[in-house]
Amino acid sequence: MSEKPRKIPGPDHPITVTPNPARVVVTVAGKVVADSRNALTLREASYPPVQYIPRQDVDMAALQRTDHASHCPYKGDAAYYSIPAGGERTANAVWTYEAPYDAVAEIKDHVAFYPNRVDSITEQPA
């Protein structure tokens, strides 16, 4: 088996993880599936910021683990969940890094949602 590529964030590919002072709420099929005042905002290179929400602030019973997986050379291996209540659009709508690389260790035990696969991800004043 070949070794998966592993890269360290730097000036050419910066990654920051910072606490989000806002309340982050995610809805699917008219139901709140995540509601957190402890989200982390991950900013990576030129990609849009991503909200990583602690699992304890997510209705994990509303999610269904899938066999889908991906690898990021900066963050590690990602596992995925679907949200059955949202239908086909929400297949693999949620991802998590269960053993993230050291550079982004803060996102362990957090999940993130694809904005185009849920109804909304809103940031409200805390």
Side-chain angles (χ1 to χ4, degrees):
M1 256 197 154
S2 64
E3 192 71 19
K4 290 181 180 172
R6 190 171 186 160
K7 297 181 179 179
I8 305 296
D12 59 329
H13 194 99
I15 297 178
T16 61
V17 180
T18 55
N20 185 335
R23 175 183 178 195
V24 178
V25 179
V26 181
T27 60
V28 172
K31 182 177 183 243
V32 173
V33 293
D35 186 344
S36 182
R37 288 179 169 81
N38 297 299
L40 298 173
T41 302
L42 185 143
R43 290 180 174 82
E44 178 176 2
S46 60
Y47 299 112
V50 175
Q51 302 306 314
Y52 280 83
I53 300 171
R55 286 176 180 242
Q56 68 259 24
D57 295 338
V58 177
D59 181 0
M60 294 301 291
L63 309 184
Q64 185 175 61
R65 182 85 175 231
T66 72
D67 292 333
H68 187 67
S70 66
H71 176 78
C72 170
Y74 294 96
K75 297 186 290 288
D77 293 322
Y80 288 78
Y81 292 85
S82 293
I83 309 167
E88 198 172 306
R89 177 174 70 108
T90 60
N92 298 311
V94 185
W95 74 93
T96 184
Y97 291 92
E98 294 171 335
Y101 293 157
D102 291 346
V104 294
E106 304 97 324
I107 65 172
K108 182 175 178 14
D109 299 322
H110 290 64
V111 302
F113 296 81
Y114 284 109
N116 63 335
R117 295 189 190 175
V118 298
D119 294 347
S120 66
I121 300 174
T122 60
E123 295 182 55
Q124 306 165 1

